[in-house]
Amino acid sequence: MTVETPGSADTETLALARRSGWPEELRVLIARYPREQWQAHANLGEMARFWLSRHAMFRELAAMIREIESQFRDGALPPAEFPRLFVPRLQFLLSQLNAHHQIEDYHYFPIFRAADCRLARGFDVLEGDHHAIHIDMARTAETANALLRALLGDAEGLRRCGDDYANASGALLKGLIRHLDDEEDLIVPLILDRGEGALGVAHHG
Ligand SMILES: [Fe+2]
Ligand SMILES: [Fe+2]
C-alpha cells in the first residue's frame, strides 16, 4: 500500500474558478452538520455568528456592486452619479476583504487546521483561494480605475473599459461567493462539533 501526495491534478480540480463545492473526503463533518441545523445549534457561538455576519456583509456588498454596475451599463444610472455609488462600496469591499483574509490566514486557519487533520487539505485550498481572490481584487481595482477615467472620454473607450471591468469583477465576485460558501461548509461544522471554547476561538469580553 502507498500513500500518495495530492498532485497538481488534485490542486487544479479544487481551484476556486473550477470547483463546485468540496469532494467527499472533505465533507465528513458537513455531512453530520448540514446548514439547516446551524442557526439552532448550541455550539454556534459568538465568534461563528460574528464571522458569518461578515460573510453575509460580503455577499450583500457583492450583490450591490453588481446591481450598480448593471444599472450603469443599462443606462438606468447616469455616468455622473455612477462613481458616487460605486467607488465607496467597491473600496469598502476590497479593504474589508483584505483584513478578513489576514485574520483567517494568520489566526483562524492554523487553529482549525490543527484541530482535525482530515480537513487540513481544505485549509490549503482556502488559503489558495485567498491568493486567487487577491489577484482578482487587483485586476478589479485596476479596471475600475480605468473605467472611472473613461467616464470623461469617448463612448467606444467607455464601452471597452466597461467590458474589462465586468470581466474582472465578474471573476472576483463569482470566486468570492464560491469561497464563502465552501469556507463556511468546512469551518462551521468543525465549530459545532467541538465548540468554540474547546477549539480556542471563543470571543472574550
Ligand atoms: Fe476566506
Ligand atoms: Fe471568510
Side-chain angles (χ1 to χ4, degrees):
M1 260 166 48
T2 56
V3 178
E4 289 178 21
T5 315
S8 60
D10 183 30
T11 308
E12 272 176 33
T13 316
L14 291 181
L16 182 59
R18 215 159 294 176
R19 70 174 189 267
S20 54
W22 294 117
E24 214 49 51
E25 66 270 22
L26 291 169
R27 299 189 54 84
V28 280
L29 287 181
I30 182 75
R32 280 167 53 197
Y33 302 96
R35 276 182 179 261
E36 308 82 75
Q37 297 176 10
W38 292 1
Q39 285 305 323
H41 199 289
N43 279 351
L44 193 80
E46 276 186 44
M47 176 265 152
R49 288 180 192 279
F50 176 74
W51 182 76
L52 285 170
S53 77
R54 300 299 288 174
H55 280 196
M57 181 191 80
F58 290 132
R59 289 186 179 95
E60 275 172 38
L61 272 168
M64 265 194 266
I65 290 166
R66 270 196 184 120
E67 178 60 22
I68 292 166
E69 184 213 353
S70 87
Q71 284 193 6
F72 171 65
R73 304 265 275 162
D74 294 348
L77 184 65
E81 286 178 36
F82 171 67
R84 187 175 52 83
L85 293 174
F86 173 70
V87 172
R89 285 169 179 82
L90 181 61
Q91 185 69 74
F92 187 67
L93 174 71
L94 298 180
S95 64
Q96 294 295 308
L97 265 182
N98 195 40
H100 182 77
H101 290 169
Q102 282 192 2
I103 293 168
E104 289 179 341
D105 285 342
Y106 297 113
H107 183 63
Y108 289 126
F109 286 3
I111 293 172
F112 294 138
R113 196 193 298 268
D116 192 329
C117 61
R118 293 172 304 172
L119 304 182
R121 169 102 187 96
F123 289 100
D124 295 341
V125 172
L126 292 175
E127 261 186 36
D129 288 357
H130 289 173
H131 293 297
I133 289 169
H134 281 250
I135 291 169
D136 285 339
M137 282 164 64
R139 264 188 70 215
T140 299
E142 255 169 52
T143 55
N145 285 327
L147 174 59
L148 291 165
R149 285 192 300 271
L151 290 172
L152 307 168
D154 58 59
E156 169 54 24
L158 184 58
R159 193 193 53 75
R160 203 182 53 245
C161 289
D163 288 347
D164 290 347
Y165 169 76
N167 286 335
S169 75
L172 170 67
L173 300 179
K174 180 168 176 275
L176 174 63
I177 301 299
R178 173 83 266 150
H179 173 76
L180 296 173
D181 289 350
D182 291 347
E183 196 169 72
E184 291 169 3
D185 282 351
L186 202 68
I187 289 175
V188 175
L190 181 61
I191 289 173
L192 300 187
D193 198 57
R194 306 288 181 86
E196 292 180 1
L199 282 167
V201 295
H203 276 184
H204 298 289

